Amino acid sequence: MRPGKGTARETNRFEERARRARLNRLRTVLLVLLALALVGGLGYLVWFSPVLTVKKVEVQGVSGAQADEVRRAADIPMGVPLARLDLEGPGRRITSSPLYAEAEVARKWPTTVVLEVAPRRPVLALRTGESYQLVDEDGVAYRSVDRAPSGVAVAAGRGQVPARGLRAAVAMMRALPDDLRAQVGSVEVEGPSMVSFKVGRSQVRWGDESEPRLKVKVIKALLPRAPGTLDVSAPHVPVTR
C-alpha cells in the first residue's frame, strides 16, 4: 500500500466521523430546542392562554336557588386561567355561612370549577320563644326559622337550654336508629344530664351522653311493652312505670 493512498483514506474517515459528530450535536440541539418550545407552549397554554380559562361553575350538594347562593358566595372570577385559580378562598367564603359544614373547590378541565358543598342537616329544631333554631348533628345551631321542618323533632328546655344538655340531645338523636328516630315527637332538655323524648304514649328518659348503644338496645327491648315511662338514664338498671 502506498503511503499517499492510506493517508487519504484516514483523512476521509476522520472527516466522516467529524461530520457525524456535527450532525449528532445539531440533532441534540434541535431536540432540546423542540422540547423547550413544547414546554413553553404548554406553559403558555395552561397558565396564560384564554383557551383554558374559567367559563363554568358547577355546584354539587345543593340545587336550585341554594346552588345560585353558593355560586355568589364563592365569587369565582370568570376568564381566569384555570391553573391559576385560588382554590382556598372560595371554600372559605362558602363556609363563612353557617348553612354549610364543608366546601371543596376543584378544577375540572378544561374550563370548569366544581363546588362541592355539605349543607348542614337539622336533627333538632330547638324552640326559642316564637321561633326555632335548627341544630345539626354536630350540635351547631345554624339557622332560625318560624316553624320546625316536617320530620324534625322539636326540642325544648326549662328556660335556657345548657350547651351540655343540647349536646346530649344531639348525641341521642344520632344514636337512635332511623325507624325509632322517625317516631320521636318531641325532645325535652331538662338539664345538662337529663334528656328525654316522647314516642307514642311513652316518655323515654335518656339521661346524658353516656353509653348510647346500650341505651338503644334497652329501649328496643322494652319499648314494645308501651310503658308510660321508660328510664334508661342508667341503662344497666332500666326502670319502667
Side-chain angles (χ1 to χ4, degrees):
M1 182 182 293
R2 283 182 282 181
K5 289 184 179 181
T7 303
R9 280 196 294 270
E10 289 293 332
T11 300
N12 290 338
R13 282 198 293 269
F14 175 79
E15 291 177 350
E16 181 62 22
R17 285 196 297 269
R19 186 179 69 82
R20 285 202 207 95
R22 286 194 299 272
L23 288 175
N24 288 335
R25 285 195 296 271
L26 179 59
R27 187 180 297 111
T28 300
V29 170
L30 290 175
L31 289 174
V32 170
L33 291 176
L34 180 59
L36 290 175
L38 286 173
V39 171
L42 287 173
Y44 173 78
L45 180 66
V46 172
W47 291 92
F48 302 102
S49 167
V51 175
L52 301 179
T53 58
V54 179
K55 297 177 182 176
K56 180 182 178 183
V57 177
E58 184 179 302
V59 180
Q60 299 177 357
V62 293
S63 59
Q66 199 169 1
D68 293 336
E69 291 176 2
V70 169
R71 286 190 186 89
R72 286 193 292 270
D75 193 22
I76 302 291
M78 296 291 107
V80 172
L82 199 58
R84 291 162 56 189
L85 180 70
D86 170 29
L87 299 183
E88 296 183 1
R92 285 196 300 267
R93 290 191 288 272
I94 293 170
T95 54
S96 67
S97 166
L99 297 178
Y100 305 103
E102 296 178 353
E104 291 187 7
V105 185
R107 301 178 181 93
K108 184 179 178 181
W109 298 95
T111 59
T112 302
V113 177
V114 177
L115 308 176
E116 185 173 357
V117 297
R120 297 189 187 276
R121 308 289 187 188
V123 296
L124 286 174
L126 179 64
R127 183 184 290 121
T128 55
E130 298 300 318
S131 62
Y132 300 85
Q133 285 285 330
L134 301 184
V135 182
D136 75 350
E137 64 177 9
D138 295 323
V140 176
Y142 64 93
R143 188 177 184 182
S144 180
V145 295
D146 294 333
R147 64 177 63 183
S150 176
V152 177
V154 173
R158 298 173 182 175
Q160 183 70 27
V161 174
R164 183 179 168 190
L166 182 59
R167 287 198 303 271
V170 170
M172 177 191 73
M173 294 300 290
R174 282 204 311 263
L176 294 177
D178 291 344
D179 58 338
L180 185 54
R181 190 187 307 126
Q183 300 176 53
V184 175
S186 61
V187 177
E188 187 173 353
V189 183
E190 300 175 32
S193 300
M194 180 51 67
V195 176
S196 62
F197 63 92
K198 189 85 171 177
V199 177
R201 294 181 298 174
S202 299
Q203 185 74 21
V204 181
R205 294 176 62 80
W206 177 271
D208 58 17
E209 299 177 71
S210 64
E211 300 186 277
R213 292 183 179 179
L214 179 57
K215 289 177 180 179
V216 168
K217 288 182 179 180
V218 174
I219 291 170
K220 293 177 74 173
L222 298 180
L223 193 60
R225 303 177 187 177
T229 301
L230 170 57
D231 191 334
V232 296
S233 57
H236 296 277
V237 285
V239 177
T240 60
R241 290 191 293 271

